[in-house]
Amino acid sequence: MAHDPTPAIKAATIVLFRQSDAGPAEHLMIERTASMAFAAGALVFPGGRIDADDYAIAQNDALLRHAPSETEERAARIAAVREAIEETGTAIGVDANLSDDTIREWRTALKGHQPFSELLTDIKCMLDLSRLVPFARWCPNLGEHRRFDTRFYIARIAGGELREIEVDTDEASRHRWLTARQAIDGAAAGDHRIIFPTMRNLERLAAYSRFDDALTHLATVRQQTISPQIRDVDGEQWLCIPEDAGYPVTRARLADVMAP
């Protein structure tokens, strides 16, 4: 299959860890509406495109705390924070005690395309980008009409950041707090649909189901960009990823993979 020469769209996704004293963490996932152009009807983590204002914030040290040096990395983390607010009303890494009313106002403003930088400046708050930890980066190149270069981040949600989730109904039909294993098992039972990158990341999360365990695991793995490849194995086509990227499952039958 010929590769698509179209440049990939830069995007960012946030995987939230909500955990109690015992047992695996739960992750906030949203089910995309059937009308969406990408991953319609699929269960995904909150996230979206990196926009021009994210890059503007990335170059404004007055709005940032504990920011990495690379502009691209800064912008991706900022986009993940912004998208989580817009899509679910969850504010991670915002260095301010935001009221429910402020969150609602921000969501309305962001939906109306008001720059995130203006919202931050108006209340004189900063973003603590150390709250988001790089987990994975995926950039499929299999001739898709729309390609994404997506950075996945994990973040532990603090008690004061837990709010009643209200999803953006233009993009999502519902939200669910699920352990990684519950999400995997639900897909197997036909309760929801999951695209290939999300499933592989869920399997990885299931193997390291507490936030500190995930951090320990990340310290042992070389970060790399995952670009799945189609390979023939015993007369069948499989979608495969590298064996050394920290994933317990590294292939799936192409016929079983949900198209994005």
Side-chain angles (χ1 to χ4, degrees):
M1 181 182 297
H3 287 187
D4 190 336
T6 304
I9 298 165
K10 304 288 187 180
T13 292
I14 188 166
V15 181
L16 299 177
F17 279 64
R18 183 178 76 172
Q19 57 191 48
S20 58
D21 292 337
E26 294 178 317
H27 310 293
L28 179 59
M29 304 191 74
I30 58 176
E31 188 171 292
R32 291 170 65 82
T33 60
S35 61
M36 298 298 289
F38 178 80
L43 202 64
V44 299
F45 302 109
R49 301 183 187 209
I50 305 171
D51 66 22
D53 188 61
D54 298 324
Y55 285 102
I57 296 172
Q59 297 177 60
N60 186 347
D61 288 337
L63 295 177
L64 304 175
R65 293 179 60 232
H66 308 304
S69 59
E70 183 192 8
T71 298
E72 192 76 42
E73 177 66 22
R74 289 184 177 199
R77 296 190 197 194
I78 293 161
V81 172
R82 174 182 52 77
E83 287 286 345
I85 294 171
E86 184 174 350
E87 291 186 343
T88 71
T90 305
I92 299 296
V94 179
D95 196 13
N97 186 18
L98 302 179
S99 67
D100 290 342
D101 286 343
T102 299
I103 289 288
R104 281 192 287 269
E105 290 168 4
W106 277 21
R107 296 186 73 187
T108 300
L110 290 170
K111 195 171 180 61
H113 306 294
Q114 181 174 350
F116 191 27
S117 57
E118 292 183 4
L119 301 178
L120 296 172
T121 302
D122 285 347
I123 65 169
K124 297 180 173 60
C125 76
M126 303 174 74
L127 299 180
D128 180 359
L129 298 187
S130 68
R131 292 288 308 281
L132 285 75
V133 179
F135 182 71
R137 183 175 178 180
W138 283 67
C139 188
N141 188 19
L142 297 168
E144 305 95 328
H145 173 66
R146 181 176 297 185
R147 297 174 53 228
F148 288 90
D149 178 357
T150 305
R151 301 186 190 216
F152 290 78
Y153 297 95
I154 60 173
R156 178 162 32 199
I157 188 166
E161 295 166 332
L162 281 170
R163 302 174 185 272
E164 182 176 351
I165 304 300
E166 298 178 5
V167 296
D168 179 357
T169 54
D170 287 342
E171 297 189 17
S173 57
R174 60 174 175 164
H175 79 277
R176 301 183 69 181
W177 283 102
L178 297 169
T179 68
R181 178 49 54 190
Q182 286 172 335
I184 294 166
D185 291 346
D191 295 339
H192 44 251
R193 306 167 69 207
I194 296 176
I195 61 175
F196 183 81
T198 305
M199 180 59 77
R200 302 290 80 82
N201 280 311
L202 283 166
E203 291 158 348
R204 191 178 180 190
L205 290 164
Y208 305 97
S209 59
R210 305 281 293 177
F211 188 75
D212 288 342
D213 293 338
L215 293 183
T216 300
H217 160 67
L218 288 172
T220 69
V221 179
R222 179 180 66 85
Q223 291 281 347
Q224 59 182 289
T225 301
I226 307 297
S227 184
Q229 304 293 317
I230 298 174
R231 296 179 182 149
D232 288 324
V233 180
D234 297 328
E236 286 188 290
Q237 286 193 314
W238 292 72
L239 194 55
C240 305
I241 62 175
E243 300 281 345
D244 61 349
Y247 289 86
V249 179
T250 58
R251 67 178 188 174
R253 288 183 178 85
L254 190 60
D256 297 334
V257 174
M258 176 189 171

